């Protein structure tokens, strides 16, 4: 199994740059945010560069959402 990174708050700003950098360094990245369009946009930009990323929308303040985020992230990546 390769390296996987879950980056919360990565749908914009510094979080998005961290997600892109980790992907460039060889990680499969789970991009997380609360806005569907922004989260998908960042994941798509990583995939467009030929790297691996999936988008996951969940609020990290919601325990059920966090559990789903981790479970789905593990399954996808």
């Amino acid at each position: 199994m390769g390296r996987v990174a879950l980056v919360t708050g990565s749908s914009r700003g510094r979080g998005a740059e961290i997600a892109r950098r980790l992907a460039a360094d060889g990680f499969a990245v789970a991009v997380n945010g609360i806005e569907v369009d922004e989260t998908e946009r960042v994941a798509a930009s990583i995939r467009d560069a030929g790297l691996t990323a999936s988008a996951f929308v969940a609020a990290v303040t919601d325990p059920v959402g966090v559990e789903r985020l981790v479970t789905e992230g593990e399954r996808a990546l």
Side-chain angles (χ1 to χ4, degrees), residues 3 7 13 15-16 22 24 28 34 39-40 43 51 60 63 68-69 71 73 76:
R3 299 181 299 173
V7 185
L22 286 167
I34 57 173
T39 305
E40 274 296 335
L51 305 169
V60 296
R68 184 177 47 83
L69 170 64
T71 300

Side-chain angles (χ1 to χ4, degrees), residues 3-41:
R3 299 181 299 173
V4 176
L6 165 61
V7 185
T8 61
S10 57
S11 63
R12 61 182 135 173
R14 287 190 177 135
E17 291 307 313
I18 290 167
R20 288 184 183 105
R21 176 57 190 259
L22 286 167
D25 286 346
F27 286 80
V29 179
V31 176
N32 167 249
I34 57 173
E35 297 291 331
V36 174
D37 292 340
E38 291 178 349
T39 305
E40 274 296 335
R41 180 183 48 78

